[in-house]
Amino acid sequence: MPDDQTLRFATQAIHAGAAPDPATGARVQPIYFTNGFVFDSTEQAADIFAMRRTGFSYSRGSNPTVAALERRIAALEGAKAAVAVASGQSAVMLVLMTLMRSGESYVASPRLFGGSLGLMRRLDGRYDLQPQFAKGLAPEDFEAAITPRTRAIVCESIVNPCATVMDIEGIAAVARRHGLPLVIDNTLASPALIRPIEHGADIVVHSTSKFLGGSGQTIGGIICDAGRFDWNRPDRYNLINEPWPDYEGLVVRERFPDMPFAVACRLFGLRDLGPGLSPMNAFLTLTGIETLPLRMERHCANARAVAAYLKDHPKVDWVSYPGLPGQPGEALVKRYVPQGPGSIFTFALKGGEPAAIKFIMGLDLISHLVNIGEIKSLAIHPASTTHRQLRPEERAAACVGPETVRLSIGLESVEDLIADIEQALAKLD
């Protein structure tokens, strides 16, 4: 097979990380439903457990089906390595816990998925991993929040749910000036729209439950290590720079210089904490990725048409979709995502919260469902669900006030989607 990194994106989506099974000739990646693997010798077993040799031992730490998914997403993101985990929430948690010890902090975007914000506050309260939220979304806002205790910068490529596109290169320049890794949650863009590593990111995470899987069948997450950040800082990043006594004094940065963060996440995250991904979910996600480039093109086209319809509707107060002309953030869309800023956006109804609730309940084709990034179109009231833990002023800043509806536009015929929205709006007073 050709080297994955030499292939173009659509070819990588189909072929990267997998090959015909040498034992059977099966062309589709096999699903390895086994919790353990037989060793050739006690020496081999000892070497694998001590990280002196690569190989499979127990599926919590690695599994051939899961490894194929890791290789494919690493290729799509241009990363050196990837670690698949049980959910996107697990991916964010492992990144933060691998980077920091109690008492250390990181700068976070003030606009993030509600679940990420809730996790950050819980980790702060229980484990003293301290988020310092930037006051705005511009690079200078992130720089102003950096302190001597800061160990990373964290933001999304496209903000959930308001579709704001972040200035990744500008924020990456800030991170480089201060010797910090930039962590990007790329869930809403997928690598089909944005490859954050090309713009300076050091770590990329996904909830694979969204666009990568695409069909609403699976839960999963992944962490991608660009492999180029200089982790050689004796005063920080102890899981990378300090010896592991239970691995015979292994120093991850020295043994695995091309992918130290990914290895640290695997040792601490999967071997110790244990949120591994099931091989069935890995297989379904691999299958979904094969059509990712085609799906994202249709997602963006449909979302642009629906957002334009809503923007001109007399019962709609505003639409937050910077892919439309004249919207805030239009220049960043043209710079980073000329195909369009994905298919998730918010809009507000002039009738306030009662109108938002009535609209959602009046939809027939579009499902009232909390997920995003599926081939089916979905709607939710974020103020009472996904972002309910935010304070009122935070919800307003994130464009998820009580009058707001979040749409995830799927692959249906756009005429049918607009007809469903039209009939639901017609039911409002």
Side-chain angles (χ1 to χ4, degrees), residues 235-255:
D235 59 330
R236 57 181 70 174
Y237 312 123
N238 65 306
L239 293 180
I240 295 172
N241 287 312
E242 295 179 7
W244 290 60
D246 47 344
Y247 288 91
E248 301 175 353
L250 166 71
V251 176
V252 170
R253 175 179 53 81
E254 295 174 356
R255 181 80 62 84

Side-chain angles (χ1 to χ4, degrees), residues 19 25 92 170 181 261 307:
V92 174
F261 186 74

Side-chain angles (χ1 to χ4, degrees), residues 177-396:
R177 280 198 296 273
H178 294 270
L180 301 170
L182 174 60
V183 181
I184 297 287
D185 184 335
N186 201 33
T187 298
L188 263 66
S190 89
L193 298 183
I194 300 176
R195 287 160 53 99
I197 291 171
E198 293 181 351
H199 300 290
D202 301 292
I203 300 163
V204 176
V205 300
H206 287 272
S207 169
T208 62
S209 321
K210 280 55 175 186
F211 291 106
L212 292 174
S215 294
Q217 300 167 317
T218 71
I219 297 291
I222 201 154
I223 302 162
C224 299
D225 181 358
R228 64 187 179 201
F229 184 76
D230 183 7
W231 297 100
N232 188 12
R233 294 290 301 269
D235 59 330
R236 57 181 70 174
Y237 312 123
N238 65 306
L239 293 180
I240 295 172
N241 287 312
E242 295 179 7
W244 290 60
D246 47 344
Y247 288 91
E248 301 175 353
L250 166 71
V251 176
V252 170
R253 175 179 53 81
E254 295 174 356
R255 181 80 62 84
F256 302 96
D258 292 337
M259 56 186 83
F261 186 74
V263 173
C265 284
R266 190 175 301 281
L267 291 179
F268 173 60
L270 295 185
R271 287 196 176 182
D272 290 347
L273 300 182
L277 181 67
S278 81
M280 188 68 203
N281 282 354
F283 173 81
L284 291 171
T285 306
L286 276 165
T287 303
I289 289 173
E290 292 177 353
T291 59
L292 177 66
L294 297 173
R295 286 188 286 108
M296 293 309 293
E297 183 177 347
R298 179 66 171 263
H299 275 301
C300 290
N302 278 1
R304 188 181 303 110
V306 171
Y309 168 80
L310 287 167
K311 183 174 179 291
D312 294 333
H313 198 283
K315 295 183 180 180
V316 173
D317 190 15
W318 52 259
V319 173
S320 179
Y321 188 72
L324 297 178
Q327 287 262 307
E330 182 184 4
L332 289 174
V333 169
K334 291 179 178 177
R335 178 178 173 186
Y336 289 106
V337 277
Q339 290 186 68
S343 69
I344 287 85
F345 64 91
T346 52
F347 71 97
L349 289 155
K350 292 179 179 178
E353 184 172 13
I357 300 299
K358 189 173 182 179
F359 168 80
I360 291 171
M361 299 312 297
L363 293 166
D364 294 325
L365 181 64
I366 299 173
S367 298
H368 181 200
L369 201 154
V370 77
N371 198 30
I372 54 175
E374 296 187 16
I375 59 175
K376 303 175 184 67
S377 293
L378 313 170
I380 198 70
H381 183 245
S384 60
T385 57
T386 58
H387 289 68
R388 66 185 304 274
Q389 70 270 49
L390 271 65
R391 293 184 285 270
E393 63 273 17
E394 293 172 330
R395 288 197 292 266

